[in-house]
């Protein structure tokens, strides 16, 4: 749900600043990284150092998080917000399920498969509902490829982090991976000047702290006790939250496809919640 406020926040930042979405993406991870480092030391007691293969895993996860920012924002620029978000958000849980089965040996149950189908369909309808897709812009195919790359980067991050949190404190995992992402995206500062007023910096601070640092503290902690395939379906609550914010705050129209999509998404989440209740009952 906190991830779902990202789009609205970026829209408000764009109103107050000429910064490109890619530069905003850099500040997102650059602000989140020190917050996560402080949280790891303050709440976790100390910052755990990765050992053995976990060093490589966290490096890969951090680069994947940085790659997500690049692929997603450039993908959206070459397609549209609706199309780019649709492809990235809907492809990610499918890729997560496949990677988790291949690399982590997670079993894909019938309930998870049904929830995945409901969730992806619901996210697609929810994203398409308020928008009308017109003529394809130039470089559309390249944008589609980048959006798929964003979904893959997110899936890689989720699966690699799932393997790491089994041996390391979740806060340390989040802090180290976002530090790698921030360092990897630092050259973005050389591409364009940073022009932003006080309101834009407040919004950027919110973007880095709440839907990034806080959200990933919750996410990586939840991964310790949740199959990564299930987490991919639950993360589809993001477009539901974003759409409802658009309707309430920006006056967007939901449309009947969006209403059906919202119902399917809620059904997927409730289905997984009921499965967990019975498993623990």
């Amino acid at each position: 749900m906190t991830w779902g406020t990202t789009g609205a926040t970026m829209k408000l930042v764009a109103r107050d600043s000429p910064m490109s979405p890619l530069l905003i993406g850099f500040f997102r991870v650059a602000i989140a990284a020190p917050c996560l480092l402080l949280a790891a030391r303050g709440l976790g007691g100390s910052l755990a150092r990765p050992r053995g293969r976990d060093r490589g895993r966290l490096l890969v996860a951090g680069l994947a998080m940085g790659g997500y920012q690049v692929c997603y924002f450039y993908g959206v620029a070459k397609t549209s917000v609706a199309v780019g978000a649709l492809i990235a958000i809907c492809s990610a849980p499918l890729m997560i399920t496949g990677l988790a089965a291949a690399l982590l040996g997670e079993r894909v149950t019938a309930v998870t498969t049904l929830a995945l189908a409901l969730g992806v369909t619901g996210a697609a309808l929810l994203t398409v509902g308020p928008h009308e897709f017109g003529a394809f812009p130039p470089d559309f195919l390249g944008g589609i490829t980048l959006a798929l790359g964003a979904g893959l980067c997110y899936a890689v991050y989720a699966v690699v982090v799932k393997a790491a949190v089994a041996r390391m404190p979740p806060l340390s995992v989040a802090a180290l991976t976002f530090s790698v992402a921030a360092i990897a995206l630092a050259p973005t500062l050389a591409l364009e000047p940073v022009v932003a007023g006080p309101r834009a910096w407040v919004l950027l601070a919110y973007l880095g702290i709440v839907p990034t640092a806080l959200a990933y503290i919750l996410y990586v902690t939840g991964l310790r006790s949740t199959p990564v395939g299930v987490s991919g379906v639950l993360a589809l609550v993001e477009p539901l939250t974003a759409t409802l914010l658009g309707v309430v705050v920006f006056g967007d129209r939901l449309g009947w496809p969006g209403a059906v999509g919202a119902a399917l998404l809620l059904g997927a989440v409730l289905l997984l919640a009921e499965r967990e209740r019975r498993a623990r009952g």
Side-chain angles (χ1 to χ4, degrees), residues 184-271:
L185 291 179
T188 303
L189 292 171
L191 299 179
E192 62 178 284
V194 179
V195 180
R199 182 179 174 182
W201 283 114
V202 170
L203 291 168
L204 286 171
Y206 169 83
L207 182 64
I209 294 170
V210 179
T212 309
L214 175 60
Y216 276 91
I217 287 174
L218 298 173
Y219 182 73
V220 297
T221 302
L223 276 180
R224 270 199 156 177
S225 57
T226 304
V228 68
V230 172
S231 78
V233 179
L234 294 176
L236 290 171
V237 172
E238 175 187 353
L240 175 61
T241 306
T243 301
L244 292 178
L245 277 176
V247 171
V248 174
V249 178
F250 298 103
D252 294 342
R253 294 177 56 194
L254 186 61
W256 70 263
V260 173
L264 290 176
L265 268 174
L266 288 174
V269 172
L270 291 174
L271 182 64

Side-chain angles (χ1 to χ4, degrees), residues 47-123:
L47 184 65
R49 295 183 179 181
R51 298 178 179 178
R53 293 184 178 180
D54 284 336
R55 295 176 182 174
R57 290 190 178 98
L58 296 189
L59 178 62
V60 169
L63 293 175
M65 179 53 63
Y68 174 83
Q69 313 299 321
V70 176
C71 290
Y72 181 76
F73 292 130
Y74 275 122
V76 165
K78 290 179 178 293
T79 55
S80 68
V81 174
V83 173
L86 172 66
I87 294 171
I89 290 173
C90 292
S91 65
L94 297 172
M95 294 179 182
I96 287 173
T97 301
L99 288 175
L103 301 178
L104 302 179
E106 284 192 2
R107 188 170 63 91
V108 183
T109 66
V111 173
T112 302
T113 301
L114 177 58
L116 181 63
L118 290 174
V120 170
T121 303

